[in-house]
Amino acid sequence: MIDGNAIVEGLETLRKGGATRDDLLREAVARIEAAEESYDWVGIYLLEGDTLVLHNYLGKETDHTRIPVGRGVCGTAVAEDRDIVVEDVHALDNYLACSLETVSEIVVLIRRPGSGEIVGQLDLDSDRRAAFGARDERELRTIADWLGARF
Ligand code: SME
């Protein structure tokens, strides 16, 4: 089971040791990906103007390295200012397929503390149906909030 606090503790140790924000964003992806077998693709997009730009990821190569706000699950999360959990992406019209095997997806927004301004998002895909539940969302939120404070 993913443990957001344990991942944040590990990231905090790296930060105190001098890790840069880019290092921490890469480490976050690596630690999240290693936490659950069902996490088949894990990435972080950063918001630049009205485009989500892929910062780093683990999993199959994707064409979606730049996603306009409003497009796909990722862009919709920003446009609607909310996290999104999708049990089965086949049921969606506005979906950008990263891999044909993907079935479920979760997007958790990364926000600056205080203002709540969206600076990016955690995006996870799974080849299993409904792989992401309330627990995953909560633990990922812990990590996203810690990352948001680095902006
Ligand atoms: N599925 C996402 C696109 C990102 S790739 O899956 C990595 C979407 O619909 O926005």
Side-chain angles (χ1 to χ4, degrees):
M1 266 298 187
I2 181 169
D3 181 340
N5 285 320
I7 290 178
V8 160
E9 257 176 51
L11 294 174
E12 186 61 33
T13 302
L14 294 176
R15 189 183 71 83
K16 287 184 182 144
T20 64
R21 182 168 74 198
D22 282 338
D23 296 334
L24 295 168
L25 293 171
R26 278 188 288 270
E27 276 294 328
V29 165
R31 287 162 193 244
I32 292 167
E33 199 271 343
E36 293 281 351
E37 222 182 295
S38 58
Y39 296 173
D40 293 302
W41 193 94
V42 178
I44 290 179
Y45 287 90
L46 296 183
L47 187 60
E48 293 182 12
D50 51 13
T51 306
L52 286 161
V53 180
L54 186 57
H55 178 277
N56 84 99
Y57 71 97
L58 286 171
K60 288 199 184 139
E61 196 176 343
T62 177
D63 290 339
H64 306 295
T65 56
R66 297 176 69 84
I67 302 175
V69 169
R71 288 214 58 205
V73 179
C74 295
T76 300
V78 177
E80 297 184 358
D81 197 23
R82 65 184 178 100
D83 297 341
I84 296 184
V85 181
V86 183
E87 291 192 351
D88 187 341
V89 295
H90 300 108
L92 295 183
D93 297 331
N94 190 9
Y95 171 67
L96 302 172
C98 164
S99 131
L100 290 177
E101 284 92 54
T102 298
V103 183
S104 54
E105 176 162 5
I106 185 169
V107 173
V108 176
L109 295 172
I110 302 173
R111 300 171 185 276
R112 247 186 250 276
S115 69
E117 179 200 346
I118 298 168
V119 293
Q121 63 185 216
L122 299 174
D123 179 29
L124 281 70
D125 289 353
S126 177
D127 298 349
R128 303 183 196 178
R129 197 186 168 280
F132 307 104
R135 159 120 203 214
D136 301 270
E137 192 175 358
R138 192 176 63 237
E139 301 304 311
L140 292 168
R141 159 96 356 254
T142 298
I143 299 163
D145 286 348
W146 186 85
L147 291 172
R150 316 275 74 83
F151 284 81

